[in-house]
Amino acid sequence: MSNNTFADRLTEAMRAAGMTQASLAKLVGMSQSSIWKLTSGNASGSRRTVELAKALNVRPEWLASGEMPVTDQSSELLPMKVVAPVSTGAYRVDLLDIQASAGPGTFLSSEFVETIRAIEFTEEHARSMFGNRPASAIKVITVRGDSMEGTIDPGDFIFVDTTVNYFEGDGIYVFVFGKTIHIKRLQMQKNSLVVLSDNKLYSSWQIDAADEDQFHVLAKVLVKQSAAIKRFA
């Protein structure tokens, strides 16, 4: 059995245990955003691997590196779900059950970030949208709120790069601040990170050094798909 990455093994173990990101986070005393980062492929491991493995009833060695067997009982392996490979020429992007707020902020729910369905593109179309980024790095989420209106409207789908989990320069990001999740434009001004709304009815605000422990980048926005429907008859 080949589970190529830490994220793959963690996701499969959670699925086999019937555990959500929220329930695992609560069980091991981690934040939901931390579990999100581990399962989205942004991390090669975790300092909490032993606790995660214990909660999921798997061996820490397997979770950390893929070393078999999966459990201490070598004849009783986890009922891992075998996923059929995507057909040649298809690029599969997961649509996540989360809404990023272009507004005051959406409170993190107890069922944070679950895949509800997927969208498939041809390789050629995907390359034109996402460059050479792998499908595993791209996720789709829905926008609510109007603070980015004109750029990103309520109900729009946004395609985000989950490998960007830090501020890498001016752009639109999905991030957690405190207990709320936002989609905003981030811009470095002097020593502060300024949070900007494209809708001028909303004021800007700052994230200072003292706030860094409350601030976590989840992804960077690449592309939007409008939810607007236009009728002509």
Side-chain angles (χ1 to χ4, degrees), residues 13-227:
M14 288 172 58
R15 187 176 298 142
M19 199 170 293
T20 67
Q21 293 174 355
S23 59
L24 180 59
K26 184 177 181 180
L27 195 59
V28 298
M30 295 174 67
S31 68
Q32 293 172 327
S33 59
S34 294
I35 300 295
W36 147 262
K37 290 177 183 178
L38 294 177
T39 58
S40 64
N42 295 336
S44 58
S46 170
R47 289 178 295 179
R48 306 292 295 276
T49 296
V50 173
E51 292 96 324
L52 290 166
K54 183 177 180 180
L56 294 168
N57 195 30
V58 298
R59 295 175 64 244
E61 294 85 357
W62 174 81
L63 187 59
S65 65
E67 177 186 314
M68 298 295 279
V70 178
T71 68
D72 287 327
Q73 294 77 34
S74 58
S75 60
E76 189 179 333
L77 300 182
L78 279 173
M80 296 295 184
K81 181 179 179 181
V82 178
V83 179
V86 176
S87 57
T88 303
Y91 184 103
R92 186 177 187 273
V93 178
D94 290 333
L95 174 63
L96 302 180
D97 186 16
I98 182 174
Q99 291 189 331
S101 178
T106 301
F107 278 94
L108 300 181
S109 71
S110 61
E111 297 297 325
F112 182 60
V113 196
E114 298 294 327
T115 299
I116 55 176
R117 60 187 175 91
I119 302 171
E120 286 192 355
F121 301 93
T122 64
E123 291 285 355
E124 183 179 0
H125 189 186
R127 194 174 300 109
S128 69
M129 294 179 66
F130 314 122
N132 292 321
R133 296 175 179 88
S136 60
I138 308 300
K139 306 296 179 186
V140 188
I141 60 180
T142 310
V143 175
R144 66 185 298 274
D146 63 353
S147 74
M148 294 297 289
E149 199 164 28
T151 302
I152 301 173
D153 298 319
D156 282 353
F157 293 121
I158 54 173
F159 294 81
V160 302
D161 183 351
T162 61
T163 64
V164 181
N165 54 7
Y166 55 91
F167 176 74
E168 65 169 12
D170 295 358
I172 301 174
Y173 293 83
V174 180
F175 63 92
V176 172
F177 186 78
K179 294 184 178 180
T180 55
I181 184 169
H182 303 263
I183 169 174
K184 300 283 189 181
R185 193 178 298 279
L186 297 180
Q187 184 180 91
M188 184 62 72
Q189 296 181 9
K190 294 186 178 179
N191 296 322
S192 295
L193 192 59
V194 179
V195 181
L196 301 167
S197 299
D198 287 4
N199 184 338
K200 301 307 178 186
L201 294 176
Y202 289 79
S203 301
S204 62
W205 46 284
Q206 293 185 171
I207 298 172
D208 298 314
D211 302 320
E212 287 182 357
D213 61 335
Q214 301 185 68
F215 171 68
H216 306 282
V217 172
L218 299 180
K220 188 173 185 179
V221 179
L222 301 176
V223 181
K224 82 154 188 180
Q225 179 175 311
S226 177

